Amino acid sequence: MASVRTSIQGLVVAGLLAGLGQAAMAQSPAAPPPPPAERMAKHDPAKMQAHMLKRQAELKAKLKITAAQEAAWTTFTASMQPPAHGPRPDRAEFDKLSTPERIDKMRALRAERDAEMDKRGDATKAFYAVLSPEQQKVFDANAMPHRGADGHRGADGRGGPEDRSHKG
């Protein structure tokens, strides 16, 4: 009988401690997300454009684009410009839609993004076709940021350690 009482007391104590732990966690809220302005600063269009132009200039220098390839280069880089997006969809308008209408709207937006990606892919293939085999190797090694198995780039723009072992 004493062991049953001890077991019950142990369960009661464990339950009380768990309850106290939950109460303590509830009193210390998680850090709030950064304000929208701070999040948007990371995506400053001017900074992003400057970074893209710098990367393009570096790639062009590495590829050693010839005069005969200049038109293809210009077409390729023009296709890589970010699309001119209109204003973000109005959240209040989106909230007024029924669920099936929201799904249709999201599908339409996805179709627009897919079409833009297809256009860029076709332009990249067309440009790649005018490169010499040596230039194609340079393009393969430098045109797209390498990502690791987790999908994230490393500090040097490449993926995980396996990508850093063979600098291109």
Side-chain angles (χ1 to χ4, degrees), residues 96-118:
K96 292 178 186 176
L97 300 174
S98 68
T99 298
E101 290 170 329
R102 288 179 192 164
I103 291 169
D104 291 343
K105 180 73 172 171
M106 289 187 290
R107 284 180 176 164
L109 292 170
R110 185 181 66 221
E112 287 176 23
R113 286 192 311 271
D114 288 349
E116 291 168 3
M117 289 175 58
D118 288 345

mmCIF file of all heavy atoms in Angstrom, residues 96-118:
data_model
loop_
_atom_site.group_PDB
_atom_site.id
_atom_site.type_symbol
_atom_site.label_atom_id
_atom_site.label_comp_id
_atom_site.label_asym_id
_atom_site.label_seq_id
_atom_site.Cartn_x
_atom_site.Cartn_y
_atom_site.Cartn_z
ATOM 1 N N LYS A 96 -11.988 38.890 -48.371
ATOM 2 C CA LYS A 96 -13.400 38.907 -48.790
ATOM 3 C C LYS A 96 -13.744 37.740 -49.712
ATOM 4 O O LYS A 96 -14.902 37.421 -49.904
ATOM 5 C CB LYS A 96 -13.718 40.225 -49.515
ATOM 6 C CG LYS A 96 -13.691 41.438 -48.612
ATOM 7 C CD LYS A 96 -13.959 42.695 -49.414
ATOM 8 C CE LYS A 96 -13.790 43.941 -48.571
ATOM 9 N NZ LYS A 96 -13.945 45.168 -49.365
ATOM 10 N N LEU A 97 -12.715 37.106 -50.282
ATOM 11 C CA LEU A 97 -12.955 36.003 -51.210
ATOM 12 C C LEU A 97 -13.353 34.740 -50.463
ATOM 13 O O LEU A 97 -12.927 34.515 -49.330
ATOM 14 C CB LEU A 97 -11.696 35.725 -52.032
ATOM 15 C CG LEU A 97 -11.168 36.858 -52.901
ATOM 16 C CD1 LEU A 97 -9.835 36.449 -53.538
ATOM 17 C CD2 LEU A 97 -12.172 37.244 -53.972
ATOM 18 N N SER A 98 -14.128 33.919 -51.131
ATOM 19 C CA SER A 98 -14.439 32.606 -50.561
ATOM 20 C C SER A 98 -13.205 31.721 -50.716
ATOM 21 O O SER A 98 -12.277 32.041 -51.463
ATOM 22 C CB SER A 98 -15.622 31.982 -51.304
ATOM 23 O OG SER A 98 -15.243 31.664 -52.638
ATOM 24 N N THR A 99 -13.183 30.599 -50.034
ATOM 25 C CA THR A 99 -12.035 29.695 -50.112
ATOM 26 C C THR A 99 -11.769 29.249 -51.552
ATOM 27 O O THR A 99 -10.622 29.318 -52.007
ATOM 28 C CB THR A 99 -12.229 28.496 -49.164
ATOM 29 O OG1 THR A 99 -12.306 29.002 -47.832
ATOM 30 C CG2 THR A 99 -11.086 27.507 -49.288
ATOM 31 N N PRO A 100 -12.776 28.812 -52.312
ATOM 32 C CA PRO A 100 -12.489 28.435 -53.707
ATOM 33 C C PRO A 100 -11.945 29.605 -54.537
ATOM 34 O O PRO A 100 -11.059 29.415 -55.375
ATOM 35 C CB PRO A 100 -13.841 27.967 -54.247
ATOM 36 C CG PRO A 100 -14.604 27.535 -53.039
ATOM 37 C CD PRO A 100 -14.153 28.465 -51.938
ATOM 38 N N GLU A 101 -12.425 30.824 -54.277
ATOM 39 C CA GLU A 101 -11.915 31.992 -55.006
ATOM 40 C C GLU A 101 -10.455 32.275 -54.619
ATOM 41 O O GLU A 101 -9.644 32.640 -55.472
ATOM 42 C CB GLU A 101 -12.781 33.223 -54.715
ATOM 43 C CG GLU A 101 -14.165 33.137 -55.324
ATOM 44 C CD GLU A 101 -15.108 34.237 -54.847
ATOM 45 O OE1 GLU A 101 -14.975 34.704 -53.693
ATOM 46 O OE2 GLU A 101 -15.990 34.625 -55.635
ATOM 47 N N ARG A 102 -10.134 32.101 -53.349
ATOM 48 C CA ARG A 102 -8.745 32.288 -52.908
ATOM 49 C C ARG A 102 -7.828 31.279 -53.592
ATOM 50 O O ARG A 102 -6.730 31.613 -54.030
ATOM 51 C CB ARG A 102 -8.621 32.123 -51.396
ATOM 52 C CG ARG A 102 -9.215 33.262 -50.604
ATOM 53 C CD ARG A 102 -9.064 33.000 -49.125
ATOM 54 N NE ARG A 102 -9.875 33.950 -48.376
ATOM 55 C CZ ARG A 102 -10.207 33.811 -47.122
ATOM 56 N NH1 ARG A 102 -9.806 32.751 -46.442
ATOM 57 N NH2 ARG A 102 -10.937 34.707 -46.513
ATOM 58 N N ILE A 103 -8.280 30.033 -53.656
ATOM 59 C CA ILE A 103 -7.487 28.995 -54.308
ATOM 60 C C ILE A 103 -7.255 29.365 -55.765
ATOM 61 O O ILE A 103 -6.130 29.270 -56.269
ATOM 62 C CB ILE A 103 -8.184 27.623 -54.175
ATOM 63 C CG1 ILE A 103 -8.152 27.170 -52.716
ATOM 64 C CG2 ILE A 103 -7.532 26.590 -55.099
ATOM 65 C CD1 ILE A 103 -9.043 25.972 -52.425
ATOM 66 N N ASP A 104 -8.298 29.818 -56.448
ATOM 67 C CA ASP A 104 -8.150 30.214 -57.857
ATOM 68 C C ASP A 104 -7.192 31.386 -58.007
ATOM 69 O O ASP A 104 -6.369 31.416 -58.926
ATOM 70 C CB ASP A 104 -9.517 30.570 -58.461
ATOM 71 C CG ASP A 104 -10.421 29.359 -58.623
ATOM 72 O OD1 ASP A 104 -9.906 28.209 -58.586
ATOM 73 O OD2 ASP A 104 -11.648 29.554 -58.772
ATOM 74 N N LYS A 105 -7.262 32.350 -57.089
ATOM 75 C CA LYS A 105 -6.367 33.514 -57.126
ATOM 76 C C LYS A 105 -4.920 33.068 -56.915
ATOM 77 O O LYS A 105 -4.018 33.517 -57.633
ATOM 78 C CB LYS A 105 -6.792 34.519 -56.042
ATOM 79 C CG LYS A 105 -5.955 35.754 -55.971
ATOM 80 C CD LYS A 105 -6.237 36.666 -57.131
ATOM 81 C CE LYS A 105 -5.526 37.980 -56.945
ATOM 82 N NZ LYS A 105 -5.608 38.787 -58.150
ATOM 83 N N MET A 106 -4.691 32.183 -55.941
ATOM 84 C CA MET A 106 -3.336 31.698 -55.677
ATOM 85 C C MET A 106 -2.809 30.907 -56.874
ATOM 86 O O MET A 106 -1.634 31.013 -57.223
ATOM 87 C CB MET A 106 -3.301 30.862 -54.405
ATOM 88 C CG MET A 106 -3.473 31.705 -53.150
ATOM 89 S SD MET A 106 -3.246 30.792 -51.611
ATOM 90 C CE MET A 106 -4.696 29.762 -51.588
ATOM 91 N N ARG A 107 -3.682 30.144 -57.519
ATOM 92 C CA ARG A 107 -3.255 29.391 -58.707
ATOM 93 C C ARG A 107 -2.873 30.338 -59.835
ATOM 94 O O ARG A 107 -1.901 30.091 -60.554
ATOM 95 C CB ARG A 107 -4.358 28.443 -59.157
ATOM 96 C CG ARG A 107 -4.483 27.220 -58.295
ATOM 97 C CD ARG A 107 -5.584 26.311 -58.774
ATOM 98 N NE ARG A 107 -5.618 25.090 -57.987
ATOM 99 C CZ ARG A 107 -6.638 24.259 -57.961
ATOM 100 N NH1 ARG A 107 -7.716 24.494 -58.688
ATOM 101 N NH2 ARG A 107 -6.591 23.164 -57.216
ATOM 102 N N ALA A 108 -3.635 31.410 -59.999
ATOM 103 C CA ALA A 108 -3.325 32.381 -61.054
ATOM 104 C C ALA A 108 -1.985 33.058 -60.786
ATOM 105 O O ALA A 108 -1.173 33.230 -61.704
ATOM 106 C CB ALA A 108 -4.448 33.427 -61.149
ATOM 107 N N LEU A 109 -1.731 33.422 -59.529
ATOM 108 C CA LEU A 109 -0.452 34.036 -59.182
ATOM 109 C C LEU A 109 0.697 33.058 -59.400
ATOM 110 O O LEU A 109 1.763 33.431 -59.901
ATOM 111 C CB LEU A 109 -0.475 34.520 -57.730
ATOM 112 C CG LEU A 109 -1.404 35.701 -57.439
ATOM 113 C CD1 LEU A 109 -1.522 35.929 -55.932
ATOM 114 C CD2 LEU A 109 -0.932 36.948 -58.144
ATOM 115 N N ARG A 110 0.477 31.792 -59.048
ATOM 116 C CA ARG A 110 1.511 30.780 -59.266
ATOM 117 C C ARG A 110 1.773 30.585 -60.757
ATOM 118 O O ARG A 110 2.920 30.451 -61.184
ATOM 119 C CB ARG A 110 1.111 29.456 -58.616
ATOM 120 C CG ARG A 110 2.222 28.410 -58.720
ATOM 121 C CD ARG A 110 1.845 27.085 -58.099
ATOM 122 N NE ARG A 110 0.774 26.490 -58.866
ATOM 123 C CZ ARG A 110 -0.271 25.855 -58.337
ATOM 124 N NH1 ARG A 110 -0.395 25.737 -57.048
ATOM 125 N NH2 ARG A 110 -1.195 25.329 -59.102
ATOM 126 N N ALA A 111 0.718 30.607 -61.570
ATOM 127 C CA ALA A 111 0.882 30.459 -63.018
ATOM 128 C C ALA A 111 1.703 31.614 -63.594
ATOM 129 O O ALA A 111 2.539 31.405 -64.478
ATOM 130 C CB ALA A 111 -0.482 30.384 -63.702
ATOM 131 N N GLU A 112 1.502 32.821 -63.071
ATOM 132 C CA GLU A 112 2.296 33.977 -63.518
ATOM 133 C C GLU A 112 3.769 33.773 -63.168
ATOM 134 O O GLU A 112 4.647 34.017 -63.996
ATOM 135 C CB GLU A 112 1.789 35.261 -62.857
ATOM 136 C CG GLU A 112 0.471 35.766 -63.382
ATOM 137 C CD GLU A 112 -0.025 36.989 -62.622
ATOM 138 O OE1 GLU A 112 0.800 37.696 -61.999
ATOM 139 O OE2 GLU A 112 -1.241 37.232 -62.641
ATOM 140 N N ARG A 113 4.045 33.335 -61.951
ATOM 141 C CA ARG A 113 5.435 33.089 -61.546
ATOM 142 C C ARG A 113 6.063 31.977 -62.379
ATOM 143 O O ARG A 113 7.221 32.080 -62.793
ATOM 144 C CB ARG A 113 5.505 32.728 -60.054
ATOM 145 C CG ARG A 113 5.304 33.908 -59.129
ATOM 146 C CD ARG A 113 5.662 33.555 -57.683
ATOM 147 N NE ARG A 113 5.069 32.331 -57.207
ATOM 148 C CZ ARG A 113 3.879 32.209 -56.612
ATOM 149 N NH1 ARG A 113 3.157 33.291 -56.420
ATOM 150 N NH2 ARG A 113 3.427 31.048 -56.205
ATOM 151 N N ASP A 114 5.289 30.924 -62.630
ATOM 152 C CA ASP A 114 5.804 29.821 -63.443
ATOM 153 C C ASP A 114 6.135 30.289 -64.856
ATOM 154 O O ASP A 114 7.151 29.895 -65.429
ATOM 155 C CB ASP A 114 4.811 28.663 -63.487
ATOM 156 C CG ASP A 114 4.720 27.889 -62.181
ATOM 157 O OD1 ASP A 114 5.578 28.109 -61.291
ATOM 158 O OD2 ASP A 114 3.791 27.066 -62.054
ATOM 159 N N ALA A 115 5.288 31.138 -65.429
ATOM 160 C CA ALA A 115 5.539 31.656 -66.773
ATOM 161 C C ALA A 115 6.810 32.501 -66.793
ATOM 162 O O ALA A 115 7.611 32.417 -67.735
ATOM 163 C CB ALA A 115 4.338 32.473 -67.257
ATOM 164 N N GLU A 116 7.019 33.307 -65.750
ATOM 165 C CA GLU A 116 8.241 34.106 -65.654
ATOM 166 C C GLU A 116 9.466 33.210 -65.549
ATOM 167 O O GLU A 116 10.493 33.464 -66.183
ATOM 168 C CB GLU A 116 8.173 35.037 -64.436
ATOM 169 C CG GLU A 116 7.153 36.152 -64.564
ATOM 170 C CD GLU A 116 6.901 36.882 -63.257
ATOM 171 O OE1 GLU A 116 7.557 36.565 -62.240
ATOM 172 O OE2 GLU A 116 6.031 37.768 -63.245
ATOM 173 N N MET A 117 9.366 32.158 -64.763
ATOM 174 C CA MET A 117 10.497 31.234 -64.620
ATOM 175 C C MET A 117 10.778 30.501 -65.924
ATOM 176 O O MET A 117 11.942 30.292 -66.280
ATOM 177 C CB MET A 117 10.218 30.234 -63.486
ATOM 178 C CG MET A 117 10.275 30.870 -62.110
ATOM 179 S SD MET A 117 9.823 29.754 -60.757
ATOM 180 C CE MET A 117 11.003 28.444 -60.957
ATOM 181 N N ASP A 118 9.731 30.118 -66.641
ATOM 182 C CA ASP A 118 9.922 29.458 -67.938
ATOM 183 C C ASP A 118 10.618 30.389 -68.921
ATOM 184 O O ASP A 118 11.515 29.977 -69.662
ATOM 185 C CB ASP A 118 8.587 28.999 -68.516
ATOM 186 C CG ASP A 118 7.994 27.806 -67.783
ATOM 187 O OD1 ASP A 118 8.727 27.145 -67.016
ATOM 188 O OD2 ASP A 118 6.785 27.545 -67.980
#
